[in-house]
């Protein structure tokens, strides 16, 4: 069975099942990843129990997702407590908004922002990787930060 046939036959059932089990937001994330993980199986002749396979993939993805979230929150909480900081950790909604703001940047600004803030590269390393001058990297980073700041102030 091809992935298209499986998707056409089981997509609505699978989505409803995941929403009931994990909630809308987590279900959507798991759903997308599950279909990607199912793709290598399409060459395998005769998946005998496609529903069971989909649920097993989703279950494994959920366990990984929730385990990572729990470890991240535990580590963040320990760091906050150890430092004596009195701060509130960002919610999932805050994290999604931040991702949307970054994804809303024009591509040249986003490339520089991600390489700097996410990958931790220096301006010189970014310039070499993108084939631009360090001054251009600095200019783009300034524009990206201004854009992000304006979005967060809304």
């Amino acid at each position: 069975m091809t992935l298209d046939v499986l998707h056409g036959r089981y997509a609505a059932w699978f989505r409803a099942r995941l929403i009931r089990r994990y909630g809308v937001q987590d279900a959507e994330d798991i759903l997308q990843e599950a279909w990607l993980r199912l793709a290598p199986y399409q060459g395998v002749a005769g998946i005998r129990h496609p529903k069971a396979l989909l649920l097993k993939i989703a279950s494994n993805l959920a366990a990984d997702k929730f385990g990572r979230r729990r470890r991240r929150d535990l580590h963040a909480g320990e760091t906050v407590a150890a430092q004596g900081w009195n701060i509130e950790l960002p919610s999932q909604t805050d994290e999604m908004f931040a991702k949307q703001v970054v994804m809303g940047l024009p591509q040249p600004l986003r490339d520089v922002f991600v390489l700097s803030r996410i990958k931790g590269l220096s301006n010189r390393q970014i310039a070499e990787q993108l084939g631009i001058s360090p001054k251009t990297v600095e200019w783009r980073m300034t524009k990206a930060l201004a854009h992000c700041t304006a979005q967060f102030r809304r």
Side-chain angles (χ1 to χ4, degrees):
M1 230 182 281
T2 68
L3 190 57
D4 289 338
V5 171
L6 286 172
H7 189 270
R9 191 174 291 170
Y10 299 111
W13 166 84
F14 190 41
R15 184 176 190 279
R17 187 78 180 252
L18 292 179
I19 288 172
R20 269 194 316 271
R21 187 167 193 175
Y22 303 112
V24 176
Q25 181 62 42
D26 289 328
E28 292 297 330
D29 294 341
I30 293 168
L31 183 68
Q32 296 300 320
E33 186 67 25
W35 286 113
L36 291 174
R37 298 279 174 98
L38 185 65
Y41 291 98
Q42 71 179 335
V44 177
I47 297 173
R48 292 190 345 207
H49 304 287
K51 286 183 175 182
L53 179 58
L54 283 166
L55 290 175
K56 184 62 178 174
I57 291 170
S59 176
N60 290 340
L61 288 168
D64 289 346
K65 178 183 182 77
F66 299 136
R68 279 191 308 272
R69 184 183 296 165
R70 186 179 50 77
R71 285 188 302 275
R72 182 195 68 211
D73 292 347
L74 180 65
H75 175 71
E78 288 173 354
T79 301
V80 167
Q83 298 295 329
W85 298 333
N86 188 18
I87 62 171
E88 185 178 327
L89 297 175
S91 69
Q92 187 175 11
T93 305
D94 294 336
E95 289 180 23
M96 286 301 299
F97 179 70
K99 287 179 185 176
Q100 288 174 343
V101 169
V102 171
M103 294 306 293
L105 289 169
Q107 187 69 42
L109 303 182
R110 183 174 50 223
D111 290 344
V112 169
F113 184 88
V114 169
L115 290 172
S116 174
R117 295 300 194 244
I118 309 296
K119 302 287 184 180
L121 299 180
S122 69
N123 286 359
R124 173 160 273 128
Q125 291 169 321
I126 296 168
E128 290 171 4
Q129 186 168 339
L130 297 178
I132 57 179
S133 72
K135 195 67 176 168
T136 301
V137 170
E138 184 178 319
W139 180 85
R140 288 181 182 177
M141 192 63 196
T142 301
K143 296 291 268 186
L145 290 173
H147 174 81
C148 291
T149 301
Q151 293 299 312
F152 281 114
R153 286 187 177 155
R154 283 185 159 185

